[in-house]
């Protein structure tokens, strides 16, 4: 009986410990140590595989490739097989005149079947198109390059969004950890003040003031938890799949994130002009438009077509009575089409000129993006040093305020103010570090470099 009692009490104690762990840490934190660490490279890998925007952009490349095949098919011969049935009201006869006997005699020769079946195989091949087909093929190939450049920029955009979401998640997690620390410090200070009050050292109002501080710390923790949950949702939205509960976040010290120095290339604007996919896309779009103009003008030149047919014709099915073939070469020259070809050429040329203006505007926009990203990065890096010193001073100030209060040579308000300053300093340092990392990612995005290209360089 005693053994059963001991076992029951052990089970109760274990359950109480487990419930307290869930209450203090939450179910996710209890089992977080068993989950793999969520790193930036893992986030980018998942995003590349699961993000629907990237998948949709890749289908545009497939569409462009299909249009290239359609254009190339115009240079290939076409083969057709046909089976036809024809019925006429009367059997066709042709008159034949015979004057060999001195008198004109008329005979009638059978010119076909009243009911007929025809099985044929025909072939047509464009020998010369005036450059229309060749230019159209080149235009579609350039359009495919446009789709590839747009896909690359879309992938860079998604990668940048995922990077920003990841660092914002880490920042929210840091704020959550700071909020937990603030609650712990508030509770420890409350126990100290309560002990002083029981021994008549401090008045009741100091206990009430610390109780208010503890309640505020609890509210801040709830708010930080909500912000962390939202940050998870944002990252999952960008990545395209659920991630919370499958990975754990490892609270990183600011120094570990700053082991790689932030650097700016010597001529960032020129570098962006060379790397940005949009510039390459516009250049390809302009060349494609000019090729379409040439293709439209090619329709004004003669079109030479080779065609042939082999067939069987009979009044019964399957046809096998008449077996014949024919080959023909035809040249078609459109002298007047209502200026349709000229209008298509003018439209394509105007589109090419539009691209030139768009390219100039794009370069101005890129220059602004790059310079703004550099300024943002420089300001964020400067904030890091200031925030780091602020944390060190705030920690020392809080330590001294707490010791002075313990020795009853300082006030309770000094401790509360020092703790608020310490929490703000830690949050400011976390904000500065992650904003610097986000600014670095924005600069790489403005330059047109991906995370892989950045590492390789």
């Amino acid at each position: 009986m005693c053994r059963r009692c001991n076992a029951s009490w052990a089970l109760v104690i274990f359950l109480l410990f487990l419930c307290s762990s869930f209450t203090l840490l939450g179910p996710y934190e209890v089992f977080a140590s068993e989950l793999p660490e969520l790193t930036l490279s893992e986030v980018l890998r998942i995003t590349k595989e699961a993000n629907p925007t990237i998948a949709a952009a890749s289908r545009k490349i497939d569409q462009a490739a299909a249009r290239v095949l359609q254009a190339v098919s115009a240079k290939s011969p076409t083969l057709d097989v046909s089976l036809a049935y024809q019925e006429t009201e009367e059997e066709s006869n042709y008159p034949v005149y015979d004057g060999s006997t001195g008198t004109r005699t008329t005979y009638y020769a059978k010119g076909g079947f009243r009911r007929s079946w025809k099985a044929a195989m025909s072939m047509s091949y464009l020998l010369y198109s005036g450059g229309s087909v060749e230019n159209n093929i080149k235009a579609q190939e350039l359009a495919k390059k446009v789709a590839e450049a747009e896909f690359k920029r879309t992938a860079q955009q998604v990668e940048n969004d995922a990077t920003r979401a990841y660092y914002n998640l880490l920042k929210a997690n840091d704020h959550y950890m700071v909020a937990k620390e603030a609650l712990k410090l508030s509770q420890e200070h409350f126990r100290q003040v309560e002990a002083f009050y029981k021994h008549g050292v401090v008045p009741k109002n100091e206990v009430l003031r610390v109780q208010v501080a503890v309640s505020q710390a609890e509210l801040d923790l709830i708010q930080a938890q909500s912000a962390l949950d939202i940050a998870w949702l944002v990252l999952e939205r960008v990545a395209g799949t659920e991630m919370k509960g499958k990975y754990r976040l490892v609270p990183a010290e600011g120094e570990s994130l700053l082991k790689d120095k932030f650097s700016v290339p010597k001529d960032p604007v020129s570098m962006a002009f060379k790397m940005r996919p949009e510039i390459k896309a516009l250049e390809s779009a302009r060349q494609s438009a000019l090729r379409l103009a040439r293709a439209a003008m090619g329709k004004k030149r003669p079109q030479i077509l080779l065609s042939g047919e082999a067939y069987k014709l009979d009044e019964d099915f399957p046809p096998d009575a008449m077996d014949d073939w024919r080959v023909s070469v035809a040249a078609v020259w459109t002298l007047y089409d209502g200026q349709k070809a000229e209008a298509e050429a003018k439209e394509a040329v105007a589109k090419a000129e539009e691209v030139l203006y768009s390219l100039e505007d794009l370069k101005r926009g890129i220059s602004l993006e790059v310079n703004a990203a550099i300024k943002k990065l420089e300001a964020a890096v400067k904030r890091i040093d200031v925030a780091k010193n602020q944390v060190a001073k705030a920690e020392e100030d809080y330590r001294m305020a707490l010791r002075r209060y313990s020795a009853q040579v300082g006030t309770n308000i000094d401790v509360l103010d020092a703790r608020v300053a310490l929490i703000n300093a830690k949050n400011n340092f976390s904000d500065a570090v992650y904003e610097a990392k986000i600014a670095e990612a924005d600069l790489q995005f403005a330059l047109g470099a991906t995370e892989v290209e950045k590492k390789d360089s």
Side-chain angles (χ1 to χ4, degrees):
M1 188 67 180
C2 295
R3 293 180 179 178
R4 291 183 179 179
C5 293
N6 292 336
S8 300
W9 277 108
L11 179 60
V12 171
I13 294 173
F14 173 75
L15 291 175
L16 289 175
F17 171 77
L18 188 62
C19 292
S20 63
S21 299
F22 270 76
T23 303
L24 296 175
L25 300 177
Y28 174 74
E29 295 180 29
V30 172
F31 303 106
S33 59
E34 302 177 2
L35 300 175
E37 179 182 354
L38 183 63
T39 61
L40 178 59
S41 58
E42 180 68 10
V43 169
L44 296 180
R45 183 192 67 80
I46 295 174
T47 302
K48 184 178 179 181
E49 295 177 355
N51 186 273
T53 304
I54 296 178
S58 67
R59 297 302 177 268
K60 292 184 178 180
I61 298 178
D62 298 337
Q63 297 173 28
R67 286 192 290 269
V68 172
L69 293 178
Q70 294 176 27
V72 172
S73 66
K75 290 181 66 67
S76 303
T78 59
L79 294 175
D80 299 307
V81 177
S82 61
L83 178 64
Y85 171 76
Q86 180 177 330
E87 183 174 346
T88 60
E89 183 179 358
E90 295 181 359
E91 194 175 69
S92 58
N93 296 315
Y94 296 95
V96 179
Y97 300 102
D98 184 7
S100 61
T101 59
T103 61
R104 183 175 179 179
T105 304
T106 303
Y107 300 95
Y108 289 92
K110 187 176 181 179
F113 302 110
R114 183 168 178 263
R115 297 181 180 87
S116 62
W117 290 88
K118 181 181 179 182
M121 176 179 288
S122 58
M123 181 273 295
S124 62
Y125 180 53
L126 184 63
L127 297 178
Y128 178 71
S129 66
S132 177
V133 173
E134 291 78 9
N135 283 290
N136 186 45
I137 293 174
K138 190 62 179 177
Q140 297 305 326
E141 290 174 348
L142 290 167
K144 182 173 178 287
K145 291 184 178 181
V146 173
E148 292 171 346
E150 290 176 349
F151 168 78
K152 183 176 181 180
R153 190 56 178 171
T154 300
Q156 290 178 355
Q157 177 68 66
V158 173
E159 179 184 289
N160 184 63
D161 292 341
T163 302
R164 293 175 61 90
Y166 173 72
Y167 285 130
N168 282 325
L169 174 63
L170 294 183
K171 181 169 67 174
N173 187 61
D174 275 11
H175 284 198
Y176 173 71
M177 300 302 293
V178 170
K180 286 181 61 177
E181 181 184 0
L183 178 59
K184 181 180 178 181
L185 293 176
S186 299
Q187 291 171 341
E188 291 176 352
H189 183 49
F190 174 72
R191 286 192 290 269
Q192 183 184 35
V193 174
E194 193 176 31
F196 283 169
Y197 173 71
K198 288 181 179 180
H199 291 82
V201 179
V202 296
K204 180 68 174 180
N205 69 309
E206 291 197 10
V207 178
L208 296 175
R209 186 182 295 273
V210 178
Q211 285 179 331
V212 172
V214 171
S215 299
Q216 183 62 47
E218 292 175 347
L219 292 175
D220 292 341
L221 180 60
I222 294 173
Q223 203 168 26
Q225 178 66 64
S226 176
L228 179 59
D229 293 337
I230 294 174
W232 271 111
L233 293 175
V234 172
L235 179 61
E236 291 173 348
R237 169 66 179 85
V238 176
T241 185
E242 294 184 2
M243 303 176 72
K244 185 178 180 181
K246 299 179 180 179
Y247 295 89
R248 63 185 173 92
L249 293 177
V250 178
E253 297 292 336
E255 297 296 333
S256 65
L257 290 174
L258 303 178
K259 59 182 179 180
D260 298 327
K261 294 184 178 179
F262 300 102
S263 60
V264 178
K266 294 182 179 179
D267 193 356
V269 176
S270 299
M271 179 180 177
F273 287 167
K274 293 179 181 179
M275 298 185 63
R276 286 285 286 262
E278 302 100 309
I279 293 182
K280 299 176 182 179
L282 286 180
E283 290 175 349
S284 297
R286 177 176 174 272
Q287 295 296 327
S288 177
L290 293 176
R291 288 287 183 172
L292 287 176
R294 296 177 186 177
M297 294 306 299
K299 296 178 182 178
K300 298 289 291 181
R301 300 186 181 95
Q303 311 288 308
I304 301 178
L305 183 69
L306 170 67
S307 60
E309 183 182 37
Y311 62 91
K312 287 180 178 293
L313 183 65
D314 198 355
E315 56 185 346
D316 297 321
F317 183 82
D320 59 0
M322 184 184 298
D323 188 2
D324 201 357
W325 59 270
R326 59 189 174 197
V327 177
S328 61
V329 178
V332 180
W333 194 347
T334 303
L335 299 178
Y336 181 73
D337 61 354
Q339 296 185 337
K340 179 181 178 181
E342 289 87 345
E344 291 177 353
K346 289 181 180 179
E347 179 186 4
V349 171
K351 185 176 181 179
E353 293 175 352
E354 176 192 359
V355 171
L356 279 179
Y357 292 112
S358 299
L359 183 60
E360 183 64 26
D361 181 68
L362 175 63
K363 289 183 177 181
R364 294 176 182 270
I366 289 175
S367 178
L368 175 62
E369 289 180 25
V370 171
N371 288 311
I374 292 174
K375 296 299 182 182
K376 182 179 177 182
L377 178 59
E378 291 175 348
V381 172
K382 292 178 181 179
R383 283 184 57 193
I384 291 175
D385 294 333
V386 176
K388 183 179 179 181
N389 294 330
Q390 184 184 22
V391 170
K393 294 176 181 178
E395 289 177 340
E396 180 64 15
D397 181 45
Y398 180 73
R399 186 187 65 81
M400 294 176 63
L402 200 60
R403 292 189 64 179
R404 286 197 303 268
Y405 183 75
S406 299
Q408 285 298 295
V409 294
T411 65
N412 188 33
I413 296 179
D414 293 338
V415 178
L416 297 177
D417 290 343
R419 185 168 64 249
V420 171
L422 175 61
I423 299 306
N424 290 336
K426 289 188 174 182
N427 284 332
N428 289 337
F429 179 67
S430 175
D431 292 344
V433 170
Y434 290 114
E435 285 178 11
K437 299 298 290 185
I438 291 174
E440 183 186 31
D442 289 343
L443 176 58
Q444 295 298 323
F445 177 66
L447 294 174
T450 63
E451 184 70 19
V452 176
E453 291 170 344
K454 181 185 72 173
K455 291 179 180 180
D456 293 341
S457 61

